[in-house]
Amino acid sequence: MPHSDREPKFVSVVTYIHNDEGRIRKFLDEVMGKCRDSFDKCELILVNDDSTDGSIDEIHRYFSEKPADYMVSIIKLGLKQGIESAMNIGRDMSIGDYVFEFDDLSIDYPIDMLTDAYGKCLEGSDIVSVSGNYRMRFTSKCFYSLYNRFSHGQYSIGPETFRLLSRRAINRIRSVGSFIPYRKAVYMNCGLKADRLTYDVTGGAQTAPKHGRSDERMNLAVDSFIYFTDLLERISLGICIMFIVIALGVVAFTVWSYFMDQHLASGWVSLMGFLSLGFTGVFGLFTIVLRYLSVLIDLSFRQRHHLIEDIEKISGN
């Protein structure tokens, strides 16, 4: 694309790196090549989340062979912090008018999806999510179904390949809190217009790639339900109601037995009544505690200091 045809914008590309040695070159060739051709200025921020392979050496080799005319920064984290925390750091370091977030370096989408997402921003959207027509795993279906059912958010969430944020969206998100526990949920519920693009996965429909270890995904799912939904409150309230019903049933059975001249074991009524009312009180207390925690979380997200070991600039103007 001739220089005069580039969009007069500065875009940042924030990428999560963890043992991606074999996928880095293709990503840099295609994604950064498209950004260079499409925008006046761009920067690349690579967040290295404790890679143990040759990912960083491969990045250095790539730019020694193909010096970049855009800014390239490698953020090295002091210890493995997971995708959410790592990408929070990269986003906060970005300075572009628009920010692309790539949680994964796999490319199974038409590269023009980058400019298609930008076009949606020009139409008025501040957050654009791009996703393939993957077959969702059963666990993912369950998670998204429960989350969207109980979050009461502005937009529903689902699997994403990458996303584009405007600077206004980033400023809005920063006002929410310094630590964002689940970016996707915050982005879709920050009060700004969001849109979604889908594409046919290269090579046909397939299962979406997993982001992070299974224990990380499980912890993130649990945290998401606590932060952004009232699911646990409803479960606790439901158990509380169940024990109330049991207690009322015990009372009703006792009255029935009295009038029907049934002989109950000594102490049975008092024991069952005590247990039912006791459990009702316990789960009622849990419901109140969860409600207070929910309010505190709404007021202020958990504070967390990012552990950055080093920031290296290896190329750029």
Side-chain angles (χ1 to χ4, degrees):
M1 179 181 293
H3 181 76
S4 58
D5 292 336
R6 295 177 182 172
E7 288 292 326
K9 296 294 182 181
F10 189 153
V11 299
S12 300
V13 176
V14 179
T15 304
Y16 179 77
I17 301 292
H18 179 70
N19 296 344
D20 291 298
E21 182 179 3
R23 297 184 290 176
I24 287 172
R25 283 185 174 267
K26 182 179 180 181
F27 179 87
L28 295 176
D29 282 338
E30 297 196 23
V31 172
M32 295 313 298
K34 184 65 175 178
C35 288
R36 285 185 65 258
D37 291 342
S38 303
F39 302 99
D40 264 356
K41 287 188 175 182
C42 58
E43 69 167 341
L44 172 64
I45 298 175
L46 301 154
V47 187
N48 175 29
D49 192 17
D50 195 31
S51 293
T52 56
D53 66 351
S55 295
I56 303 306
D57 292 336
E58 183 65 15
I59 293 170
H60 283 109
R61 280 193 296 270
Y62 180 90
F63 287 112
S64 65
E65 298 168 8
K66 303 177 181 180
D69 57 358
Y70 50 85
M71 294 187 293
V72 179
S73 302
I74 301 176
I75 300 175
K76 181 180 180 183
L77 303 186
L79 49 85
K80 193 173 191 309
Q81 298 183 41
I83 292 177
E84 296 301 315
S85 184
M87 292 298 285
N88 278 328
I89 296 170
R91 184 200 60 237
D92 290 345
M93 293 285 186
S94 67
I95 59 175
D97 302 310
Y98 294 89
V99 178
F100 285 100
E101 287 189 349
F102 292 89
D103 293 359
D104 189 277
L105 269 62
S106 301
I107 298 179
D108 60 5
Y109 46 86
I111 202 63
D112 286 341
M113 293 302 295
L114 275 71
T115 48
D116 290 347
Y118 175 72
K120 283 293 182 182
C121 282
L122 294 183
E123 293 174 6
S125 298
D126 287 286
I127 302 109
V128 180
S129 303
V130 179
S131 58
N133 55 356
Y134 299 109
R135 295 192 306 268
M136 275 199 293
R137 298 177 182 84
F138 175 74
T139 52
S140 297
K141 286 183 179 180
C142 292
F143 169 75
Y144 288 122
S145 177
L146 288 171
Y147 179 92
N148 292 326
R149 169 67 178 81
F150 293 102
S151 69
H152 308 297
Q154 183 181 7
Y155 296 97
S156 61
I157 66 172
E160 296 178 7
T161 305
F162 68 88
R163 67 182 65 88
L164 177 62
L165 309 172
S166 70
R167 180 52 55 178
R168 180 169 67 163
I170 292 172
N171 291 338
R172 173 70 62 84
I173 291 160
R174 283 175 174 169
S175 70
V176 173
S178 60
F179 174 67
I180 306 300
Y182 189 34
R183 290 168 297 131
K184 187 186 302 184
V186 176
Y187 295 164
M188 290 295 106
N189 296 283
C190 68
L192 297 177
K193 184 178 179 182
D195 211 332
R196 184 180 298 273
L197 295 174
T198 59
Y199 62 90
D200 293 328
V201 178
T202 303
Q206 51 189 270
T207 305
K210 295 181 179 180
H211 293 161
R213 301 193 311 264
S214 58
D215 58 332
E216 291 178 354
R217 295 195 302 274
M218 177 60 71
N219 290 336
L220 179 59
V222 173
D223 288 349
S224 300
F225 284 129
I226 294 174
Y227 280 112
F228 301 107
T229 76
D230 59 358
L231 177 60
L232 298 184
E233 292 176 49
R234 290 185 178 222
I235 291 174
S236 179
L237 180 60
I239 296 174
C240 181
I241 292 173
M242 180 185 70
F243 278 106
I244 291 176
V245 171
I246 292 174
L248 292 175
V250 170
V251 172
F253 179 72
T254 303
V255 172
W256 176 84
S257 299
Y258 176 80
F259 285 104
M260 296 301 292
D261 198 25
Q262 298 290 324
H263 298 286
L264 301 177
S266 176
W268 184 88
V269 174
S270 58
L271 176 62
M272 293 303 296
F274 174 78
L275 290 176
S276 299
L277 292 174
F279 279 114
T280 298
V282 168
F283 283 100
L285 180 61
F286 281 169
T287 302
I288 295 172
V289 170
L290 286 171
R291 185 64 226 164
Y292 271 99
L293 289 175
S294 177
V295 171
L296 291 174
I297 289 168
D298 286 340
L299 291 174
S300 176
F301 282 118
R302 185 193 325 165
Q303 302 297 305
R304 176 172 175 175
H305 298 290
H306 300 312
L307 301 176
I308 301 175
E309 180 176 321
D310 183 43
I311 299 176
E312 177 186 7
K313 297 200 176 284
I314 62 174
S315 184
N317 298 328

